[in-house]
């Protein structure tokens, strides 16, 4: 087999993930995906879904406050007198 053909096969294996060494799978305990809680840290641990929900609630409160402030002021634009 020519050297170019061998290089092409190796590139395809790497692209498909077939060229991984078995030591890579055991380095992280065989886990795949993201590790949100890595290490022993004594800080607050919050899941991504919780952060998303809290941020959406905060955004909703800000929008409601803007709407209430418009209703309280009568919806009139702030224009100088006489124009």
């Amino acid at each position: 087999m020519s050297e170019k053909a061998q290089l092409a096969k190796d590139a395809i294996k790497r692209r498909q993930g077939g060229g991984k060494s078995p030591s890579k799978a055991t380095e992280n305990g065989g886990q795949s995906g993201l590790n949100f809680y890595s290490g022993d840290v004594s800080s607050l641990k919050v899941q991504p879904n919780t952060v998303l929900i809290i941020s959406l609630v905060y955004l909703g409160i800000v929008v409601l406050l803007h709407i209430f402030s418009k209703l309280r002021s009568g919806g009139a634009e702030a224009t100088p007198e006489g124009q």
Side-chain angles (χ1 to χ4, degrees), residues 1 4 6-7 10 15 21 24-26 31-35 38 43-44 52 54 58 61-62 70 73-74 77 82:
M1 186 178 289
K4 281 186 177 181
Q6 184 63 33
L7 288 173
D10 289 343
R15 220 178 302 145
S21 64
K24 287 283 185 191
T26 58
Q31 296 174 347
S32 62
L34 298 173
N35 290 330
S38 59
S43 63
L44 180 65
L52 178 67
I54 290 172
Y58 177 75
I61 290 171
V62 169
K70 281 287 189 185
S73 68
E77 299 260 338

Side-chain angles (χ1 to χ4, degrees), residues 9-25:
K9 274 188 170 184
D10 289 343
I12 290 173
K13 276 185 183 179
R14 272 183 270 136
R15 220 178 302 145
Q16 293 174 344
K20 290 183 180 176
S21 64
S23 64
K24 287 283 185 191

Side-chain angles (χ1 to χ4, degrees), residues 24-72:
K24 287 283 185 191
T26 58
E27 280 180 11
N28 60 3
Q31 296 174 347
S32 62
L34 298 173
N35 290 330
F36 295 110
Y37 309 124
S38 59
D40 293 329
V41 180
S42 63
S43 63
L44 180 65
K45 296 177 182 176
V46 182
Q47 293 181 349
N49 289 341
T50 307
V51 173
L52 178 67
I53 290 170
I54 290 172
S55 63
L56 288 176
V57 168
Y58 177 75
L59 184 74
I61 290 171
V62 169
V63 168
L64 286 175
L65 287 173
H66 279 286
I67 291 171
F68 288 148
S69 70
K70 281 287 189 185
L71 291 175
R72 188 172 179 203

